[in-house]
Amino acid sequence: MRKTLKVFVIIFGLLILLLVVAVGVLPLVVDPNQFKPQLAEIIKDKTGREVEFAGDLQLSVFPWLGVSTGRIRIKNVQGFQETDLLSIEQGDVKVEVLPLLGKRLEIRRIELKGLRLNLIRNQDGANNWSQAGAKSGEPVEPAAPGQETPDTPLSPEKTLLIFAVGGVTLDDATIHWDDRQVGKRFDVDNINLNIGRFSLDQFANVALKLSVVEPESGYRDNIDFTTRVLVAQNLEKASFADTALKWAREGGKVSGQSVSAVLTAPEIVFEKNAQKIRIGRLQMQSGELSIVSSLTGIDLFKKADVEGSIEIAEFNPGKLLKHFEITLPRFQASDAFSRLQAGFNLHAAQNTLSISALRCKLDDTLLQGDAHIEGLEAPSIRFNLTLDAVDAGRYLSPESKNETKLVSPSAAIAVALSKLPVERLRKLNVQGEVGLQHLKMNGVTADDLRLKLNAGEGVVQTRQDISRLYRGGYSGSVNFNATGREAVMALTEKVENVDIEAFLKVIGSKINLSGALTGSTALQGRGDDPKQIRQGLKGKLDFVLKEGEIRDLKFQKIIDQAIGVLNHTPLPPEQKGLEFSEISGTATLADSVIRSQDLEVKSSRFRIVGSGMTNIETGLVNYRFVANLVKAPATDTEPEKLHGTPIVVDMAGTLDDPDYRLDMAALLTEKNKAKIERFLDKNKGKIDNLKDKLDKKLGPGVGDLLKQLF
């Protein structure tokens, strides 16, 4: 036993002696610089690029096996010779020798200084980093469709070695990107990477700093990344602890203004075989903005499935956008768009995205609901959303406060759809519903609003309802059919018992009218473009306005003037308006003009009929009203009696501010009609003789003019 042990000690001692001799002699007898041509030829054969070793190669053997280099240049291929592909000022790689005897690879240090990488794409789309210039190497056969390379676990026998790295340093590196095809370039400079001692199943510190410079915009983005990483012995699991990513932008158009953000994660776990990642608490902080999320993902390399939750703390979105040089328009409310917070659950799988338990509050408006999107190229969208209260006027411009236009919900939707390209409407696949408890806009209020949308296969259908609109209700629908050569749009609307006075007042109309309005509209248009559809709308309208007053002072003044001409007693000064029991009528729409021939006003003092037109493109109106005064109301035995002379009033101008004019000629003609008829009866012979003389002297037909005059 002692003899065997003695032999073993002698042999081990000889091995150590030989190793010491080799360590001492090898660097003296071997010059690594004599292998530069062979190394350059190998690299050129593999990459098609020439290599220049400008500095000396230095070899070390014990206690570490390593090589140090001076400046190395890897030149570009033909067409990009104005710069090198890659250059390194100094490199150093060392491997511990003794651990190799125990099948352990321990890298003492990897250091690269002054790395410069130039990536260029020319105007033809060719680049300087592809392997098109390689002169050797067998082409890689692609896998057959549907065939996947199985993941074979790395067994201890096939594992190269259990290794450790004393550290990695990348000092003062730069990457230059120049895409001449799209005119985009930027530099990633001041790249400094430090990785501490790395060993399997142990945490290693990682620190990376760099800057991204965009010459065109003048922006400089500074990035600072730190983490602690642990890789499992079987290389199947990696954990990251205390991860922090800091980003700061400076420069740009606004001198001296900068914005920054910090992304932190206490723990990130990645499992290769399970293709799974777990992030317990991922937080992003940028000024007032704070976002906290937790995410879990599986099947990351095949059919990724990610779910998690996201919470956004309250912040000022307007203030944040200013940091990104985005200027918001002026709002009617000074504090509009100043408070936002949100939270929701997220589930993203292959070609699908689902958002549930959504809670988003902007200022005083709360939005809740869920949404689902399936497909990327032709997405299918499903949603169900509710809002509690919206003061839309707060977000309009101050100039529009007194310029509210009378636009119905169906008309607004029809206009919006008509402005979208027909091809886009044909691709829509959307189903959903939006509910709004209360709406206010420049004084207009409505409660319990609901919008339903169904779009698919080139047909877009909407239905909108308002349960409470100024003591009444509203319902409407829009149908946009883009399946044919021409798009066809149809819209219907109906209002019931709406208080017209309150509504006209809040929209700023100068028409002083009261009553309960009930009416309906059915329109249709077709065409190849939005303008053609809008201008080609045709259809019918009808309405009934009951139990109200015409309190238009201009109209009342005209009526009083006519009554004075007829020698009737004027209306009392305290009279506030012309009461009516009903105003009704129908109309047609064609070529952007609404025409009506049967307007009728019924009241205890008047019977008014009218006709005219309204141009919906220009807002111009032109109407004529004929009013007859009631002499005596109807009784059980006698019909009502009307004054024989009608009052004719013309209305022109705009619907918001019309002008009225009494047709005095018609009034006087009607007033003296009886006297003229008696005169004609007594002088019929004289008039006929005068007509004959005029025909002989001035020509045939002139006498007819005289006849028409009377």
Side-chain angles (χ1 to χ4, degrees), residues 354-489:
S354 296
I355 295 176
S356 59
L358 171 64
R359 307 173 315 284
C360 179
K361 190 170 185 178
L362 175 62
D363 297 333
D364 296 321
T365 300
L366 177 63
L367 170 67
Q368 295 178 289
D370 54 73
H372 180 80
I373 302 175
E374 186 170 351
L376 298 177
E377 296 183 358
S380 171
I381 303 174
R382 304 292 182 266
F383 62 88
N384 190 348
L385 305 171
T386 60
L387 297 97
D388 57 353
V390 177
D391 186 352
R394 289 167 47 86
Y395 305 97
L396 300 178
S397 66
E399 293 77 12
S400 66
K401 189 171 184 179
N402 298 319
E403 299 178 0
T404 306
K405 299 297 183 181
L406 181 59
V407 179
S408 66
S410 291
I413 293 173
V415 170
L417 289 175
S418 67
K419 290 183 178 180
L420 294 175
V422 175
E423 289 302 320
R424 183 180 299 179
L425 290 173
R426 290 191 175 112
K427 295 179 181 179
L428 281 181
N429 184 357
V430 184
Q431 289 184 9
E433 186 172 340
V434 178
L436 175 57
Q437 296 177 14
H438 179 74
L439 172 66
K440 180 180 179 182
M441 185 173 68
N442 288 352
V444 179
T445 60
D447 295 296
D448 194 12
L449 296 84
R450 193 156 296 277
L451 168 66
K452 294 182 179 180
L453 172 63
N454 189 350
E457 298 182 353
V459 177
V460 181
Q461 296 175 320
T462 73
R463 179 171 178 83
Q464 38 283 340
D465 296 281
I466 304 176
S467 296
R468 293 185 297 279
L469 177 66
Y470 291 96
R471 302 179 185 176
Y474 167 90
S475 63
S477 65
V478 176
N479 188 304
F480 194 97
N481 191 322
T483 57
R485 186 181 63 84
E486 288 185 326
V488 179
M489 177 182 289

Side-chain angles (χ1 to χ4, degrees), residues 153-154 159 200-201 231-237 273:
L154 213 58
T159 302
L200 297 177
D201 287 333
V231 178
Q233 184 73 34
N234 58 4
L235 306 181
E236 296 298 333
K237 182 178 179 180
N273 278 349

Side-chain angles (χ1 to χ4, degrees), residues 437-620:
Q437 296 177 14
H438 179 74
L439 172 66
K440 180 180 179 182
M441 185 173 68
N442 288 352
V444 179
T445 60
D447 295 296
D448 194 12
L449 296 84
R450 193 156 296 277
L451 168 66
K452 294 182 179 180
L453 172 63
N454 189 350
E457 298 182 353
V459 177
V460 181
Q461 296 175 320
T462 73
R463 179 171 178 83
Q464 38 283 340
D465 296 281
I466 304 176
S467 296
R468 293 185 297 279
L469 177 66
Y470 291 96
R471 302 179 185 176
Y474 167 90
S475 63
S477 65
V478 176
N479 188 304
F480 194 97
N481 191 322
T483 57
R485 186 181 63 84
E486 288 185 326
V488 179
M489 177 182 289
L491 66 90
T492 61
E493 292 183 295
K494 185 177 181 180
V495 293
E496 293 186 276
N497 298 320
V498 172
D499 185 349
I500 191 65
E501 180 181 25
F503 192 77
L504 291 174
K505 184 178 180 180
V506 297
I507 68 171
S509 175
K510 296 182 180 180
I511 299 177
N512 204 334
L513 185 67
S514 67
L517 175 65
T518 297
S520 63
T521 302
L523 303 175
Q524 187 180 85
R526 63 175 62 238
D528 296 324
D529 58 73
K531 184 177 180 180
Q532 190 178 33
I533 294 173
R534 186 177 68 255
Q535 294 181 345
L537 282 174
K538 296 181 180 180
K540 295 182 179 181
L541 306 87
D542 63 81
F543 75 95
V544 175
L545 187 62
K546 293 186 176 182
E547 303 302 332
E549 283 184 306
I550 302 174
R551 289 198 286 261
D552 194 309
L553 296 179
K554 294 181 180 179
F555 187 80
Q556 181 174 331
K557 184 177 180 180
I558 290 292
I559 295 297
D560 290 344
Q561 180 183 354
I563 294 175
V565 173
L566 294 173
N567 294 321
H568 285 269
T569 303
L571 295 176
E574 65 272 8
Q575 184 76 22
K576 294 182 179 180
L578 305 177
E579 296 183 352
F580 62 85
S581 59
E582 181 178 292
I583 299 178
S584 63
T586 62
T588 60
L589 172 65
D591 301 323
S592 301
V593 176
I594 299 175
R595 301 180 188 276
S596 179
Q597 302 295 329
D598 59 354
L599 296 176
E600 185 177 2
V601 181
K602 297 178 181 179
S603 75
S604 60
R605 296 181 58 85
F606 293 93
R607 291 294 182 266
I608 303 175
V609 294
S611 62
M613 51 80 66
T614 300
N615 191 310
I616 60 176
E617 291 285 341
T618 63
L620 296 177

